[in-house]
Amino acid sequence: MITQIKDLIDSLSVNSISEERKQLLQTLSKYIQGKITDSKEIRLNFICTHNSRRSHLSQVWAQAMAHYYNIDNVFCYSGGTEATAMFHMAAKTLVNQGFMITQITEGTNPVQSIKYNNDKHPIIGFSKTFDDAFNPQSGFAAVMTCSSADKGCPFIAGAEKRIPMTFEDPKAFDNTPQQAEKYEERSIQIATELKYVFSLLKK
């Protein structure tokens, strides 16, 4: 694992998470644990309205946490109720936290290669709808990372489990002096909560 990412994960304290929030996060842990126990693939689709910020941060950190805790057969995806693009500050925040991001394609919705380990297959990041052909069509957990997507998607075809794990949108601070700070804060919160989720698992 890239040293900067490992050191950051090492430093995260799950004690900062409220007991109420932990109860919610345990729903995701239990879903993953069930798959581990049954020796099945673990497919997680993190869903937000525009698939531009929180869903990408969650997808990337979940994949990194699976590697950190040596949980095999975890495949993380993201999607939205509409496709836009991975927002540049979300990508910049991940780079600042140690991820290696390479833009693969040009255009308004470029495809990004996101690496947390020099020798592992990169995470493929681009904006897409949650039911895009790139994403799993069955046997996955739909993890709702924003309340508007949770309300706007009353039914997600193929999802075995729907888990609300919503975060405040850093978009509220776009083009303000607090932008970089707030994106980093949200990324750290997502990483910390996913560290808690994966720390509960038994192989």
Side-chain angles (χ1 to χ4, degrees):
M1 190 169 220
I2 293 170
T3 304
Q4 185 182 345
I5 301 171
K6 182 183 181 299
D7 290 347
L8 176 55
I9 296 173
D10 286 345
S11 75
L12 298 175
S13 173
V14 298
N15 294 328
S16 62
I17 305 170
S18 71
E19 287 305 313
E20 182 182 8
R21 187 72 174 173
K22 283 181 177 178
Q23 291 291 324
L24 178 67
L25 297 171
Q26 285 166 20
T27 307
L28 180 55
S29 288
K30 287 172 184 172
Y31 174 82
I32 298 171
Q33 186 65 63
K35 293 292 183 182
I36 294 170
T37 302
D38 294 341
S39 301
K40 291 184 177 178
E41 280 190 357
I42 301 149
R43 294 190 282 270
L44 308 175
N45 191 359
F46 294 91
I47 299 170
C48 200
T49 305
H50 298 112
N51 191 208
S52 58
R53 296 169 176 82
R54 290 165 286 178
S55 48
H56 276 113
L57 293 173
S58 299
Q59 173 192 6
V60 169
W61 276 116
Q63 197 70 61
M65 289 300 168
H67 179 69
Y68 180 84
Y69 282 102
N70 295 311
I71 306 297
D72 298 326
N73 294 323
V74 177
F75 301 93
C76 299
Y77 304 85
S78 66
T81 53
E82 59 185 277
T84 55
M86 184 176 179
F87 191 61
H88 69 93
M89 270 305 299
K92 185 177 181 183
T93 300
L94 289 169
V95 168
N96 290 343
Q97 292 172 338
F99 293 89
M100 293 173 55
I101 300 186
T102 305
Q103 187 170 308
I104 299 172
T105 66
E106 299 296 327
T108 56
N109 183 16
V111 177
Q112 318 266 9
S113 160
I114 306 165
K115 297 197 81 169
Y116 53 89
N117 182 304
N118 290 318
D119 301 318
K120 292 289 183 181
H121 193 280
I123 301 159
I124 302 301
F126 66 100
S127 187
K128 69 202 85 66
T129 56
F130 64 85
D131 55 356
D132 188 272
F134 186 85
N135 288 342
Q137 304 300 302
S138 64
F140 64 92
V143 186
M144 314 305 289
T145 63
C146 72
S147 56
S148 58
D150 194 25
K151 292 170 186 168
C153 297
F155 176 72
I156 296 178
E160 291 179 322
K161 183 86 174 171
R162 181 193 182 104
I163 301 168
M165 186 176 155
T166 61
F167 301 97
E168 293 295 322
D169 194 351
K171 180 182 180 179
F173 296 91
D174 287 357
N175 304 311
T176 72
Q178 294 86 23
Q179 183 182 41
E181 173 192 347
K182 291 299 181 180
Y183 272 80
E184 180 181 1
E185 187 179 286
R186 190 60 60 243
S187 183
I188 290 293
Q189 180 200 356
I190 289 170
T192 302
E193 295 194 358
L194 285 166
K195 179 178 182 177
Y196 176 72
V197 166
F198 279 87
S199 71
L200 299 176
L201 302 174
K202 295 177 174 60
K203 296 174 69 176

